[in-house]
Amino acid sequence: MVAEQEDPDDRKPQSDEAHSAFTSPPGVGQPDVHEEDHPSSEFAVPAGIGTEPSGEPEGSAFAPPSTYSAKNSPPAFTPAHGIPVVRLTKDAPWQDRMRAMLRMPVGERPVPETVQRHEEGGPAVPRVLDLTLRIGELLLAGGEGAEDVEAAMFAISRSYGLDRCEPTVTFTLLSITYQPSLVDDPVTANRTVRRRGTDYTRLAAVYRLVHDISSEDDDVSLEEAYRRLAEIRRNRHPYPGWALTLAGGLLAGAASTLVGGGLLVFVAAAISAMLGDRLAWLCAGRGLPEFYQFVAAAMPSAAMGVALTLTPLEVRASAVITGGLFALIPGRALVAGVQDGLTGFYITAAARLLEVGYLVVGIVVGVLSVLYLGLALGAVLNPETAIHSVDRPVIQTLAAMALSMCFAVLLQQERNTVLLATFNGGVAWVVYGALANTADVSPVAATAAAAGLVGLFGQVLSRYRFASALPYVTAAIGPLLPGSATYFGLLEIARNDLNSGLASLTKAAALALAIAIGVNLGGELARLFFRVPGIEAPAVRRAAKRTRGF
């Protein structure tokens, strides 16, 4: 008998699967599995959906999904007609156009049209960025808001052909980044603001330079822009030092008249404010920080008020101290800080408000130290029951206008803007008096309404003149500053009545915030509803989305 030939496959070693406990023995067939018991992977294609062949291998990241159809694309994909083109009229003010483009993603911004000529071979990127930072430094040092500084920086870089720029503004640091293309390395430059000074004449000149650079009607080369910028820096202040000291004294006297003081109170407040101003200049010349300058400037007014209470004269000593406080409260920095916070620049807003807090603490230290000394000497300091207890509408309106005019001089404004700021301050006080005294509206609401009107008028004037709104707004809010509430709060604290003192200081803080929010709201209303003559479609500035609770 011939032996059966052995199969070569039978001589191979069996795999581990042959010894598995779940493997059926040889000769036993697999049972039929019910349809519902079929194992299925969560990555398997469901039945009824076929896979379309594509140029990419299966599972490639560049292969389209099997369920994707170009004809029936979901709304999340780019529509077939593309993204709508953003059009910005060239006749709109550069502030509106640049604000609108800054809120857009880089890919959605309109294609730039170079406004100013430059050398052959493209713009000199380092020089354009340096010019942009220098102009932004002057604006930020002059008290301009972070959003307006960014808009000016973007307008300059875009006018010279650098469209893919991202300016960034904080309280003391300016930076700008230029991305030539997606494959080239970005170019970044920054500048630190070391000193800040108030000169609205210089601020107006910088605004005119930015307007000329961003306008197609004016030919401003880089050399011409540098020359004009150097000239702006070299220009002297429009008012000498003695005029500023005199304006500070008249401001304190007008503020004391505003809260019920007479002629003697006017003279005492003016003299004490001028002494405080000279004392602050002496501290500044010795290199002392601004905190100690405010401490020194607040002491003469408080000392004058305490001295008058020790005399047999019947005068309102509180009006003397209140008048001195009006000239010291940092209303400009407060408005700028709240404006930065409302427009989304929270880091800059926090820094500005912290600066305001330090300066207010300096005023508190200077006044409280004198009040404690006065109480120790037996001075009778009784707080009045009302902040504006004397009803003299004509005199108070004139005092409010004089106060605004003195503020305009202290801010180094141009002479052609002083009258407009004075008139705006008088209107603000009339509105406040009509609401608070006649209509019995709460002082906070009346202050907010008057400040909103100031912001509205200031923004309209700035849009018609293509200039900054600060010269028309900052001086006009002077009569609304909470000088009386601040003094009464400090007096109650000096008299060991902390509850009443903190309540009065809280009211002063509420009045200050009402001023800042009202000014910002008035400016936003002007941008929404008022148009510059000759412009049909103003540029729209995108706003930040609400967080919806997360």
Side-chain angles (χ1 to χ4, degrees):
M1 180 181 292
V2 180
E4 295 182 0
Q5 187 176 359
E6 186 178 3
D7 190 358
D9 296 336
D10 296 339
R11 296 194 299 267
K12 295 180 179 180
Q14 299 294 325
S15 63
D16 293 339
E17 187 180 357
H19 303 285
S20 175
F22 299 97
T23 305
S24 300
V28 179
Q30 294 288 343
D32 296 335
V33 182
H34 194 269
E35 183 179 359
E36 296 180 357
D37 295 335
H38 275 293
S40 60
S41 171
E42 58 179 334
F43 301 101
V45 180
I49 298 181
T51 58
E52 300 179 0
S54 61
E56 299 291 340
E58 182 67 24
S60 173
F62 300 97
S66 58
T67 58
Y68 174 75
S69 174
K71 295 182 179 180
N72 301 318
S73 61
F77 291 88
T78 303
H81 54 78
I83 300 175
V85 179
V86 180
R87 301 184 184 276
L88 298 175
T89 174
K90 298 180 181 179
D91 297 329
W94 62 265
Q95 297 98 320
D96 293 349
R97 290 187 284 114
M98 298 306 134
R99 286 193 194 101
M101 281 189 285
L102 278 173
R103 296 295 178 91
M104 297 179 187
V106 177
E108 297 182 12
R109 291 174 182 172
V111 178
E113 297 180 4
T114 304
V115 176
Q116 300 298 334
R117 61 179 176 84
H118 46 72
E119 294 80 3
E120 296 181 0
V125 175
R127 295 193 66 195
V128 173
L129 296 184
D130 179 70
L131 176 67
T132 301
L133 290 174
R134 289 178 182 273
I135 292 179
E137 178 189 10
L138 286 180
L139 292 176
L140 186 63
E144 195 62 77
E147 186 182 28
D148 294 326
V149 176
E150 281 195 359
M153 295 172 64
F154 188 73
I156 297 166
S157 61
R158 188 177 176 86
S159 299
Y160 285 108
L162 306 184
D163 59 311
R164 301 177 66 88
C165 284
E166 289 295 337
T168 304
V169 176
T170 59
F171 185 54
T172 58
L173 182 64
L174 299 169
S175 65
I176 185 168
T177 301
Y178 171 60
Q179 181 75 40
S181 65
L182 296 177
V183 296
D184 294 330
D185 295 333
V187 181
T188 302
N190 55 63
R191 195 174 185 87
T192 303
V193 179
R194 301 293 182 184
R195 297 182 61 185
R196 292 185 301 274
T198 304
D199 190 342
Y200 283 178
T201 300
R202 179 178 297 175
L203 187 68
V206 175
Y207 259 79
R208 284 192 293 268
L209 176 59
V210 177
H211 176 264
D212 293 341
I213 291 176
S214 59
S215 175
E216 294 182 351
D217 300 332
D218 299 311
D219 186 10
V220 182
S221 62
L222 279 174
E223 289 75 12
E224 177 66 17
Y226 269 105
R227 187 194 64 80
R228 291 179 58 178
L229 185 61
E231 184 179 353
I232 292 172
R233 286 180 174 273
R234 288 195 304 264
N235 283 346
R236 295 181 177 272
H237 298 303
Y239 307 102
W242 63 267
L244 298 181
T245 302
L246 182 61
L250 294 178
L251 189 152
S256 64
T257 305
L258 195 66
V259 295
L263 179 59
L264 181 59
V265 172
F266 178 92
V267 175
I271 294 175
S272 61
M274 287 188 286
L275 290 176
D277 180 76
R278 289 294 92 189
L279 190 59
W281 275 105
L282 182 61
C283 295
R286 296 295 185 270
L288 289 178
E290 198 171 12
F291 174 84
Y292 300 104
Q293 298 176 28
F294 271 75
V295 172
M299 295 178 68
S301 297
M304 183 68 73
V306 171
L308 288 177
T309 58
L310 295 176
T311 63
L313 300 176
E314 295 183 1
V315 294
R316 292 172 61 94
S318 61
V320 177
I321 304 176
T322 301
L325 293 179
F326 264 90
L328 297 177
I329 295 177
R332 174 181 57 88
L334 175 67
V335 172
V338 175
Q339 179 183 356
D340 288 342
L342 294 177
T343 52
F345 295 85
Y346 300 113
I347 297 178
T348 308
R352 288 185 188 272
L353 294 179
L354 184 62
E355 180 191 29
V356 172
Y358 272 105
L359 298 182
V360 171
V361 170
I363 298 172
V364 169
V365 171
V367 174
L368 277 182
S369 60
V370 177
L371 290 182
Y372 277 124
L373 180 61
L375 291 177
L377 295 177
V380 180
L381 298 172
N382 295 321
E384 285 77 4
T385 57
I387 295 178
H388 303 291
S389 58
V390 181
D391 188 12
R392 300 179 298 178
V394 177
I395 297 178
Q396 288 178 331
T397 302
L398 294 176
M401 297 179 67
L403 189 150
S404 300
M405 183 182 66
C406 294
F407 257 122
V409 174
L410 289 176
L411 295 173
Q412 301 281 358
Q413 292 188 193
E414 293 180 308
R415 290 179 172 84
N416 58 353
T417 63
V418 173
L419 292 179
L420 293 174
T422 302
F423 176 76
N424 201 7
V427 172
W429 178 257
V430 170
V431 172
Y432 171 82
L435 293 176
N437 300 331
T438 305
D440 293 332
V441 179
S442 66
V444 176
T447 301
L453 194 62
V454 168
L456 181 65
F457 284 172
Q459 191 61 231
V460 169
L461 290 172
S462 68
R463 290 170 67 84
Y464 272 81
R465 294 193 171 202
F466 296 94
S468 173
L470 289 180
Y472 308 102
V473 171
T474 307
I477 64 173
L480 304 177
L481 293 176
S484 297
T486 304
Y487 163 69
F488 291 146
L490 298 180
L491 179 59
E492 293 292 357
I493 292 176
R495 292 163 56 89
N496 293 326
D497 191 353
L498 295 180
N499 292 331
S500 300
L502 293 178
S504 184
L505 290 179
T506 303
K507 185 177 182 179
L511 292 172
L513 290 178
I515 293 173
I517 296 175
V519 168
N520 181 265
L521 181 60
E524 294 296 333
L525 291 177
R527 294 192 187 103
L528 287 176
F529 299 108
F530 288 88
R531 299 180 180 179
V532 178
I535 297 178
E536 297 180 358
V540 179
R541 178 185 61 175
R542 293 185 178 182
K545 298 295 184 181
R546 187 167 65 92
T547 58
R548 301 186 184 277
F550 58 85

